[in-house]
Amino acid sequence: MSDIENDANRILLLRTELREHNHRYYVLDEPSVPDAEYDRLFRELKALEAKHPRLVTSDSPTQRIGSEVLSTFLQVKHQVPMLSLGNAFDESSMLEFDRRVRGGLDLDNDLFIENIEYSCEPKLDGLAVSLLYREGILVQGATRGDGATGEDITVNVRTVRSIPLKLQGSGWPSVLEVRGEVFMSKAGFERLNASQLEIGGKPFANPRNAAAGSLRQLDSRITASRPLEFCCYGIGQVQGQLPDTHIAILEKLQMWGLPISHELKRANGIEECLEYYQDIGARRNSLPYEIDGVVFKVNSLAYQRELGFRAREPRWAIAHKFPALEELTELLDVEFQVGRTGAVTPVARLMPVKVAGVTVANATLHNMDEVARLGLMIGDTVIIRRAGDVIPQIMQVVLERRPDNARPVHIPEQCPVCGSQVERTQLVKRSKGRETVSEGAVYRCVGRLACGAQLKQAIIHFVSRRAMDIEGLGDKSVEQLVDEGLVSSPADLYALKFDDIVDLEGFAEVSSNKLLSAIEDSKKPSLARFIYALGIPDVGEETAKVLARSLGSLERVQQALPHVLTYLPDVGLEVAHEIHSFFEDAHNQQVIKELLKHGLQIQDQGELGAEFAASTTLGGFLDKLHIPSVGPGGAQKLADRFGSLEGVFGADWLDLRQTLPEKQANSVREFFALEDNRLIAEAAEKQLRDFGMHWLSEKKVVEGLPLAGQTWVLTGSLELMSRDVAKEKLESLGAKVAGSVSAKTHCVVAGPGAGSKLAKANELGLKVLDEEAFVEFLKHHGIAVES
Ligand code: IVH
């Protein structure tokens, strides 16, 4: 065999195999090989086709994405019109439908009453498409359009993975038009909307719109990136033989590789149809896709022909609809609720309306960004949606119906529960290892424990098992204590007397005494437990432990400045600000003071933790200041050039410009021109020294560090940190980071894609760490890696 013949055979084999994998993956939901194997076969096919462009055929699995962007869709005339379905909304209309069918077939005149055989299918909520196969090859895809003429969306349907480009098996009609629904699963829809929001795009209102919007794209690459699925439910024009019942036809289509509904059933008589409707209805929320009803069709094609059509609907089929998931209603007001951490969230009060069988009068709005995104005003008519068991959501404003007296939604300046100030949270964004601080979408009542809404929850948290562990004080008892005015801060728990509690519901003499001794027993918490018990937003058990271990005393935790806190493992600037402002709050300070006054003895180690005391460099410190557009590399250059914080403050423009690119130099100048920034930096530096952190501003201090005298090499791509960051971390441990591998190299950190340097390291028998091991190594040396 010639080379060409060899390649041609291999191409055919690869295509068959890939089609088979595709079918198993997208149609049967049972992948047969790991993704990596699929990718390998796919790449091999692509390479062979690139070598022999003349062997490329339109049904090859490599040809799913059209290359050109269309300027418009061409029109397609449907040989057999694409009809719609009559609807039934209740049982009596369904019985009426069955009667009409029997009447049309003249069955009830017989002496015995024959049941009609129906097919039952879910009514998928997507959009109808027609797929034309000639000799088993997909040649055209079209939308329904007005039923007579649709749009040519061939390039787009080709990107839908569950639509075969070539039919499997044999025996298909030479011309076969398949009809079905292109739709998006609930999960695919959620994923798509999340990524739309991430890139600042507009989310889709529902899976149907998302499917329609994705399929009608002039750029098929966009369609290809969307999670579209297909399910067929019928046929159009056919030249060739097909079975004589609807279900048998669908089963044939399935054999040829076309996806049909997993829920397809045969019903003997209308009663079984009604049971099917009930069954699917009960499972509607747990199906992976949205349906708006079920479709019943007379199974026998002979009967279908006999019944024929009325206007534009078949007499042999009907859609039995479920209650709609979306309704229109009016937004009466927006109120604000206060949650456990003080988050103030808007809640929509709606004109009550029935949605899918449930009366809806409220909807969450998540946060003020959501209000802004929707462009919501009080008095607006809105589309609300209740999908599954999730809380109803406002999807859209109907702008045309906005009344003249519509009012904007304002976040209150004072907490609606306690009257404390409401503050906007800080939002820290990370990109390429840099953090920038901006205003967040969440507003929070600063009242904390002084806020009634937060108090009960705060105390429930304070006494819980993993916090102060006060046994015998359940949620109900806490509520009673707060409602009776006996407890208005965690400190009050320690002032409770026997007489205070013995009269409360559920407290007998014994349990009152038990509770008092449990309270007494809780007076010696570890520092970590105590910090956790305070309920600082974003501070869970782990962070509480880190704070306790690293800073060693409550005093230091209370005083720590945000930039100092970011030296702790896994504490970013956002959390650091939360912690700092919690302890700055006068009311919180008061509560802590009172707790201590009541005899609380916090068990701490007193010493600074080793990981915190480890070391910092001036470069590392400057990096933590988050000077806009200055990364770790730039920070290190500043440190090397100016040697101290004062040196950097005093640097003139020319000096800066010689050290950094213009944009960064400008940014440094502007940053330190602000007195606030200089003060923050000075205070943080001073505090680090006061706390006893090793401060390595001079390069010569490197001696005595764990990696002093070692040379390391970084190669390949790192995913958890940038190379600059990796370099800086190694340098903070005293290592030199070199660009090439030699016998003098101590260790090589090799990420994916590492090439000749890694090969050389192996050749020389050097120590090699992958990124995961490197991160472990850093952690072992007390250096955190923010991800
Ligand atoms: S049969 C002549 N079966 O519903 C019968 N339609 O209201 C034509 N649909 O345009 C349709 N699931 O988009 C049929 N199992 C199903 C269906 C279904 C969804 C849609 C389809 C059609 C519309 C008719």
Side-chain angles (χ1 to χ4, degrees):
M1 229 191 293
S2 71
D3 268 3
I4 277 239
E5 272 174 280
N6 252 335
D7 285 355
N9 281 337
R10 181 74 187 147
I11 285 176
L12 290 182
L13 206 82
L14 285 167
R15 283 182 191 157
T16 313
E17 197 168 331
L18 284 166
R19 273 187 206 115
E20 176 62 26
H21 294 321
N22 241 332
H23 180 70
R24 280 173 165 265
Y25 190 96
Y26 290 106
V27 180
L28 305 180
D29 261 346
E30 331 173 310
S32 44
V33 293
D35 291 358
E37 169 69 0
Y38 181 91
D39 293 344
R40 197 183 61 71
L41 297 171
F42 193 87
R43 278 198 305 271
E44 187 186 348
L45 176 59
K46 255 199 125 137
L48 283 174
E49 288 181 344
K51 193 168 152 202
H52 307 289
R54 293 207 312 187
L55 296 180
V56 178
T57 56
S58 74
D59 64 336
S60 169
T62 59
Q63 302 299 301
R64 281 199 179 264
I65 305 171
S67 49
E68 82 234 84
V69 176
L70 305 179
S71 55
T72 166
F73 295 114
L74 297 176
Q75 300 229 309
V76 174
K77 201 167 157 26
H78 298 301
Q79 296 302 314
V80 178
M82 290 183 78
L83 303 173
S84 59
L85 290 168
N87 292 323
F89 292 94
D90 53 28
E91 208 173 298
S92 68
S93 316
M94 282 303 298
L95 295 174
E96 175 57 31
F97 163 75
D98 184 54
R99 235 173 283 133
R100 278 200 310 271
V101 167
R102 312 163 65 81
L105 296 172
D106 224 5
L107 287 179
D108 288 343
N109 291 343
D110 289 342
L111 281 177
F112 63 97
I113 298 183
E114 188 191 334
N115 270 335
I116 299 284
E117 191 170 273
Y118 291 105
S119 81
C120 314
E121 304 156 30
K123 186 169 190 296
L124 292 165
D125 209 3
L127 72 163
V129 297
S130 136
L131 305 173
L132 188 61
Y133 288 89
R134 287 190 191 279
E135 306 302 341
I137 305 287
L138 176 66
V139 294
Q140 186 177 70
T143 61
R144 174 170 179 270
D146 63 5
T149 313
E151 285 174 327
D152 185 335
I153 49 160
T154 311
V155 282
N156 295 355
V157 298
R158 290 173 65 88
T159 70
V160 178
R161 298 295 192 279
S162 54
I163 294 180
L165 301 179
K166 182 177 193 293
L167 297 181
Q168 292 178 356
S170 59
W172 54 73
S174 59
V175 175
L176 175 65
E177 184 191 345
V178 176
R179 290 177 177 178
E181 200 86 347
V182 166
F183 64 100
M184 201 176 280
S185 70
K186 293 174 187 171
F189 166 71
E190 297 296 338
R191 254 185 290 129
L192 174 61
N193 265 359
S195 68
Q196 287 287 105
L197 282 174
E198 213 163 84
I199 58 170
K202 209 170 159 263
F204 291 98
N206 54 43
R208 210 201 87 80
N209 289 5
S214 300
L215 198 58
R216 294 195 68 262
Q217 287 285 338
L218 291 166
D219 183 348
S220 59
R221 280 169 306 186
I222 299 181
T223 313
S225 73
R226 302 281 171 83
L228 292 174
E229 295 175 41
F230 178 70
C231 174
C232 61
Y233 50 66
I235 47 166
Q237 57 166 323
V238 178
Q239 281 170 29
Q241 284 294 307
L242 281 178
D244 58 4
T245 66
H246 176 70
I247 294 178
I249 291 175
L250 291 184
E251 284 167 354
K252 272 272 180 214
L253 296 180
Q254 185 178 38
M255 276 174 48
W256 293 327
L258 288 153
I260 65 170
S261 173
H262 297 296
E263 302 288 348
L264 173 69
K265 292 243 159 64
R266 184 191 317 270
N268 187 16
I270 197 70
E271 288 301 331
E272 286 189 20
C273 291
L274 294 172
E275 279 166 28
Y276 180 86
Y277 175 85
Q278 293 300 339
D279 170 55
I280 298 266
R283 291 189 290 121
R284 182 183 188 188
N285 290 343
S286 54
L287 289 177
Y289 40 77
E290 277 196 355
I291 59 176
D292 55 349
V294 291
V295 181
F296 301 112
K297 297 170 188 162
V298 171
N299 195 25
S300 150
L301 294 201
Y303 280 177
Q304 285 190 8
R305 274 191 295 273
E306 204 175 325
L307 287 162
F309 299 88
R310 183 193 54 195
R312 305 177 37 71
E313 292 165 9
R315 283 206 185 88
W316 43 264
I318 194 157
H320 192 182
K321 301 286 281 274
F322 290 133
L325 298 177
E326 289 174 12
E327 290 294 346
L328 286 180
T329 190
E330 193 190 324
L331 177 66
L332 301 176
D333 200 1
V334 173
E335 288 173 10
F336 290 85
Q337 277 180 353
V338 188
R340 168 173 121 68
T341 59
V344 178
T345 44
V347 180
R349 303 284 178 229
L350 304 163
M351 178 77 86
V353 61
K354 255 199 154 155
V355 191
V358 172
T359 303
V360 173
N362 306 306
T364 81
L365 284 164
H366 304 293
N367 55 45
M368 288 306 281
D369 272 6
E370 174 86 348
V371 173
R373 186 180 70 70
L374 290 163
L376 205 58
M377 291 179 84
I378 295 162
D380 269 337
T381 294
V382 293
I383 300 178
I384 58 164
R385 185 178 152 78
R386 197 188 138 256
D389 295 327
V390 295
I391 304 158
Q393 269 192 303
I394 295 185
M395 306 309 293
Q396 242 173 56
V397 170
V398 184
L399 276 181
E400 305 86 72
R401 298 217 195 161
R402 173 166 288 169
D404 292 339
N405 62 355
R407 290 180 288 128
V409 179
H410 290 301
I411 186 100
E413 281 169 18
Q414 264 99 38
C415 169
V417 177
C418 72
S420 299
Q421 210 186 324
V422 170
E423 262 181 8
R424 193 165 190 175
T425 51
Q426 304 245 287
L427 192 71
V428 181
K429 279 203 180 124
R430 286 191 189 86
S431 68
K432 292 191 194 137
R434 306 292 308 145
E435 286 179 342
T436 50
V437 182
S438 59
E439 303 264 80
V442 176
Y443 288 79
R444 190 174 281 139
C445 159
V446 300
R448 304 251 158 80
L449 303 180
C451 175
Q454 297 169 66
L455 179 62
K456 284 180 189 170
Q457 291 300 323
I459 292 180
I460 290 171
H461 174 77
F462 185 82
V463 304
S464 64
R465 198 168 55 81
R466 310 183 80 92
M468 301 297 278
D469 191 20
I470 301 183
E471 221 180 309
L473 204 50
D475 298 4
K476 282 261 150 51
S477 323
V478 171
E479 279 174 24
Q480 276 190 71
L481 290 171
V482 172
D483 290 341
E484 296 287 325
L486 290 166
V487 168
S488 55
S489 103
D492 293 343
L493 292 171
Y494 294 92
L496 285 176
K497 305 262 173 339
F498 181 83
D499 290 347
D500 292 336
I501 45 181
V502 74
D503 290 337
L504 296 178
E505 214 177 298
F507 281 91
E509 209 178 296
V510 183
S511 60
S512 301
N513 275 325
K514 256 193 175 163
L515 175 59
L516 287 177
S517 68
I519 292 175
E520 196 55 33
D521 288 349
S522 74
K523 280 186 170 173
K524 287 186 174 171
S526 69
L527 178 56
R529 262 180 191 273
F530 181 72
I531 295 170
Y532 174 63
L534 292 174
I536 307 165
D538 290 340
V539 176
E541 267 184 292
E542 275 314 306
T543 308
K545 279 184 194 157
V546 165
L547 280 164
R549 196 173 59 217
S550 305
L551 296 176
S553 76
L554 177 61
E555 213 182 356
R556 281 197 208 97
V557 175
Q558 283 179 292
Q559 290 167 356
L561 295 165
H563 285 93
V564 170
L565 290 167
T566 61
Y567 273 90
L568 308 189
D570 294 325
V571 176
L573 204 47
E574 202 171 353
V575 177
H577 276 292
E578 285 290 2
I579 298 169
H580 179 67
S581 65
F582 181 91
F583 288 109
E584 261 203 327
D585 181 89
H587 185 268
N588 292 337
Q589 285 176 7
Q590 184 63 27
V591 170
I592 293 172
K593 224 164 109 185
E594 278 172 25
L595 281 166
L596 297 176
K597 223 168 69 193
H598 283 299
L600 225 63
Q601 290 170 12
I602 295 160
Q603 310 296 303
D604 59 30
Q605 75 217 20
E607 303 272 299
L608 209 58
E611 56 190 353
F612 184 75
S615 61
T616 187
T617 60
L618 179 59
F621 177 75
L622 290 170
D623 181 39
K624 295 245 180 235
L625 294 177
H626 301 278
I627 307 168
S629 74
V630 179
Q636 193 54 52
K637 282 189 195 139
L638 284 175
D640 289 348
R641 173 76 198 259
F642 301 106
S644 71
L645 201 52
E646 294 69 43
V648 181
F649 288 174
D652 70 18
W653 166 237
L654 258 180
D655 282 345
L656 284 173
R657 193 55 199 88
Q658 279 169 4
T659 314
L660 294 173
E662 189 170 345
K663 189 171 165 214
Q664 294 187 22
N666 272 330
S667 177
V668 172
R669 196 171 54 157
E670 279 163 24
F671 187 84
F672 288 119
L674 292 177
E675 193 187 8
D676 263 6
N677 286 338
R678 291 201 304 272
L679 291 176
I680 287 173
E682 271 171 358
E685 190 206 25
K686 179 168 182 308
Q687 189 170 67
L688 285 171
R689 289 184 197 277
D690 289 351
F691 280 5
M693 185 185 242
H694 296 272
W695 185 266
L696 312 162
S697 55
E698 311 321 322
K699 279 189 238 162
K700 58 180 187 284
V701 201
V702 165
E703 267 167 61
L705 285 174
L707 304 186
Q710 296 193 6
T711 305
W712 285 53
V713 172
L714 300 163
T715 179
S717 58
L718 297 181
E719 278 153 11
L720 301 172
M721 66 189 104
S722 69
R723 257 200 212 209
D724 279 342
V725 171
K727 179 163 183 266
E728 187 230 313
K729 293 196 188 266
L730 281 169
E731 284 170 351
S732 77
L733 291 171
K736 245 177 67 187
V737 177
S740 60
V741 175
S742 73
K744 296 211 178 92
T745 309
H746 285 82
C747 185
V748 174
V749 178
S756 59
K757 286 181 203 173
L758 175 59
K760 184 148 183 207
N762 285 331
E763 204 175 292
L764 293 169
L766 303 177
K767 188 165 145 195
V768 175
L769 299 180
D770 63 14
E771 191 174 14
E772 210 175 305
F774 178 51
V775 169
E776 274 311 305
F777 175 87
L778 290 176
K779 278 198 184 142
H780 179 76
H781 283 89
I783 295 196
V785 177
E786 293 156 21
S787 54

